[in-house]
Amino acid sequence: MQKDIIIIGGGIVGLATALQLQKDRPQLKILVLEKENEVGKHQTGNNSGVIHSGLYYKPGSLKARNCINGYTMLVAFCAENNIPFELCGKIVVATDDKEIPLLNNLYERGKQNGLQNLKKLTAPELKEYEPHVAGLQGIFVPQTGIVDYKVVAEKYAELIRRNGGEIALGEKVVSIQFQSQEAAVTTDHGVHHAKLVVNCAGLYSDKIARLTSSNIDVKIIPFRGEYYKLKKEKESLVKNLIYPVPDPNFPFLGVHFTRMMRGGVEAGPNAVLAFSREGYHKSDIKLGELAESLAWPGFQKVAFKYWKTGLGEMYRSFSKAAFTKALQKLLPEIQESDLEEGGAGVRAQACDRTGGLVDDFMIVEEKQAINVCNAPSPAATSSLSIGQTVAGLVLKRF
Ligand SMILES: Cc1cc2nc3c(=O)[nH]c(=O)nc-3n(C[C@H](O)[C@H](O)[C@H](O)COP(=O)(O)OP(=O)(O)OC[C@H]3O[C@@H](n4cnc5c(N)ncnc54)[C@H](O)[C@@H]3O)c2cc1C
């Protein structure tokens, strides 16, 4: 049957887009195509589960606007739909003199982004929030929270279906042909027709985008983030969330301690090049995908510029002792024996040809397609707002 809109990708961004479109224009016929047999299996189901406040992002950027707007929308959505969440707050901790100016910049940025009641903390004050932490100074961010994004995505999917939308699981999009008034989207199960295609394919968003346009000049570079879990008897070392001061050259926030909504405390994620786009283990290698990453001129420039940091991340990935040492900067008491293997997630990070890891969310419009080409963290927090933004672009054409 002819649809109005086909959304490729049943992660939190694709589902939020479908939900927002239904809200704005209930009569639209929407189909979500997801290659896995469940929604939210990839980035959405393998992340830190943090509801970000908007502390880090450049004022005025899509990330800042969508995170702040999305935060409010997500919190309201969870409250309305009885999804467990907690606004427990977090601390960001400087452990080195060099980090103090960066910490102050973060504080100012948070204020520019409209965050209320941010609090600068001295070393003794840090301990009032997290008794086992060691640091020189810090910031308390009261807005930050935790949630299980897989549960959120499942609720989006339930509502989409209840509103009459269709979600086809286990259907992988393999090609797209555009005719004058419609797109023919071919999956490994058949062909679907729609007036417009929205690409929210996460780790494969660049590949899907290339099916819709010859002008896509970014490549998704997959960065695996590995986690350890604190052993049950050591969970009391962490009350809520403890973050380092992030390196401003990188789009990642650094290894942190996170109390999870589903229980337990995780430490991570690091950031190492994944040898396949959905490579959750070191041994997951797809030679074609690895070769593509290595051959991309932009990635070669990133690797050349940041080889030292990259090697350090690789070393910590293979050495639990080195990973523990990094964690001890925040929590000196933690020992290697307190940690057991946790899971891993793979970030879809767009990299342009000239060597820039694309920092902001990126949406590329074509005549019959809208491509969400970069939706890294905090896209889970921001999902409803990104959905609203994309839905706005879609509805201009209907
Ligand atoms: C380690 C890690 C930690 C993170 N921590 C946080 C956090 O604490 N807070 C936060 O806000 N964000 C966090 N993020 C970011 C957040 O998880 C992502 O930005 C968000 O989940 C992106 O959602 P998505 O829908 O774009 O991608 P995904 O969830 O990856 O969904 C894309 C979907 O597209 C499907 N797909 C791909 N190709 C095809 C195809 N050809 N046909 C059909 N379907 C296809 C995939 O199967 C997948 O289900 C983290 C991410 C990672 C990896």
Side-chain angles (χ1 to χ4, degrees):
M1 194 173 77
Q2 163 91 32
K3 301 286 176 191
D4 291 307
I5 297 146
I6 287 178
I7 296 174
I8 303 171
I12 202 162
V13 173
L15 295 169
T17 302
L19 197 57
Q20 191 61 41
L21 280 166
Q22 287 181 326
K23 197 170 157 201
D24 293 344
R25 203 70 69 80
Q27 68 276 22
L28 284 177
K29 292 196 209 75
I30 298 171
L31 169 65
V32 179
L33 293 172
E34 167 53 55
K35 69 180 166 59
E36 304 294 346
N37 291 321
E38 59 188 287
V39 297
K41 183 164 181 194
H42 291 290
Q43 296 177 90
T44 300
N46 298 291
N47 57 43
S48 297
V50 174
I51 306 177
H52 286 294
S53 60
L55 176 73
Y56 300 100
Y57 317 112
K58 198 171 157 201
S61 63
L62 283 176
K63 268 190 182 175
R65 280 188 275 139
N66 284 289
C67 184
I68 292 154
N69 191 25
Y71 173 94
T72 313
M73 294 170 86
L74 178 70
V75 167
F77 180 88
C78 291
E80 269 164 37
N81 290 284
N82 296 320
I83 295 174
F85 72 101
E86 266 183 61
L87 300 182
C88 50
K90 78 169 177 184
I91 57 169
V92 184
V93 182
T95 54
D96 189 303
D97 281 331
K98 281 186 277 185
E99 291 175 347
I100 289 175
L102 299 173
L103 186 78
N104 290 332
N105 290 347
L106 265 190
Y107 179 80
E108 292 307 323
R109 189 165 263 198
K111 283 205 304 190
Q112 282 173 38
N113 283 335
L115 294 184
Q116 307 273 318
N117 302 323
L118 289 179
K119 196 172 159 197
K120 284 194 176 178
L121 304 174
T122 59
E125 283 169 340
L126 278 170
K127 293 207 181 276
E128 292 170 19
Y129 290 87
E130 293 286 349
H132 300 277
V133 90
L136 303 173
Q137 287 181 28
I139 305 175
F140 176 63
V141 187
Q143 291 83 356
T144 306
I146 53 172
V147 72
D148 185 336
Y149 285 112
K150 174 98 175 157
V151 175
V152 176
E154 281 164 356
K155 181 54 82 175
Y156 291 175
E158 184 192 317
L159 295 178
I160 291 164
R161 289 190 171 115
R162 201 188 293 163
N163 297 337
E166 203 183 319
I167 301 173
L169 298 175
E171 281 214 45
K172 180 178 175 182
V173 172
V174 290
S175 75
I176 304 174
Q177 262 83 45
F178 293 106
Q179 288 127 25
S180 63
Q181 294 300 320
E182 64 165 33
V185 179
T186 305
T187 72
D188 48 4
H189 281 52
V191 186
H192 303 275
H193 299 271
K195 293 176 192 143
L196 187 77
V197 174
V198 179
N199 160 20
C200 301
L203 285 151
Y204 288 95
S205 57
D206 58 337
K207 298 228 176 238
I208 297 289
R210 283 196 174 83
L211 300 177
T212 73
S213 163
S214 50
N215 293 327
I216 304 295
D217 213 22
V218 291
K219 168 94 49 203
I220 292 293
I221 303 294
F223 285 97
R224 190 174 56 251
E226 295 149 332
Y227 292 91
Y228 281 97
K229 276 192 306 204
L230 264 63
K231 285 191 176 155
K232 190 110 204 100
E233 61 274 20
K234 293 291 173 175
E235 284 174 4
S236 58
L237 287 176
V238 175
K239 281 170 77 177
N240 289 307
L241 311 178
I242 308 173
Y243 274 68
V245 177
D247 181 337
N249 290 316
F250 288 100
F252 313 126
L253 297 181
V255 167
H256 43 86
F257 291 93
T258 318
R259 183 162 66 78
M260 303 302 283
M261 200 61 239
R262 58 179 174 266
V265 174
E266 290 192 347
N270 57 358
V272 288
L273 177 68
F275 295 165
S276 83
R277 292 197 183 206
E278 291 167 354
Y280 293 96
H281 305 101
K282 292 183 189 69
S283 55
D284 292 341
I285 302 176
K286 282 193 179 164
L287 287 177
E289 292 186 353
L290 176 59
E292 268 184 43
S293 293
L294 296 178
W296 181 246
F299 176 70
Q300 291 169 359
K301 287 184 186 146
V302 171
F304 183 71
K305 206 160 149 197
Y306 300 116
W307 64 270
K308 221 170 160 182
T309 313
L311 281 182
E313 290 287 313
M314 293 277 275
Y315 177 54
R316 281 185 287 280
S317 167
F318 281 94
S319 162
K320 189 177 174 187
F323 200 107
T324 311
K325 205 167 160 208
L327 293 174
Q328 283 170 339
K329 277 173 115 186
L330 291 169
L331 217 59
E333 282 170 60
I334 199 116
Q335 298 300 317
E336 207 177 319
S337 57
D338 301 336
L339 300 167
E340 49 194 36
E341 282 219 356
V346 184
R347 306 170 183 87
Q349 175 59 53
C351 178
D352 66 24
R353 186 174 287 278
T354 57
L357 294 175
V358 179
D359 187 44
D360 209 357
F361 297 149
M362 183 178 168
I363 300 171
V364 178
E365 288 192 77
E366 298 295 335
K367 191 158 167 263
Q368 286 165 295
I370 294 174
N371 295 291
V372 179
C373 287
N374 195 44
S377 186
T381 306
S382 320
S383 58
L384 288 168
S385 178
I386 299 175
Q388 198 175 51
T389 305
V390 177
L393 299 175
V394 170
L395 293 178
K396 277 191 201 154
R397 298 157 185 234
F398 279 84

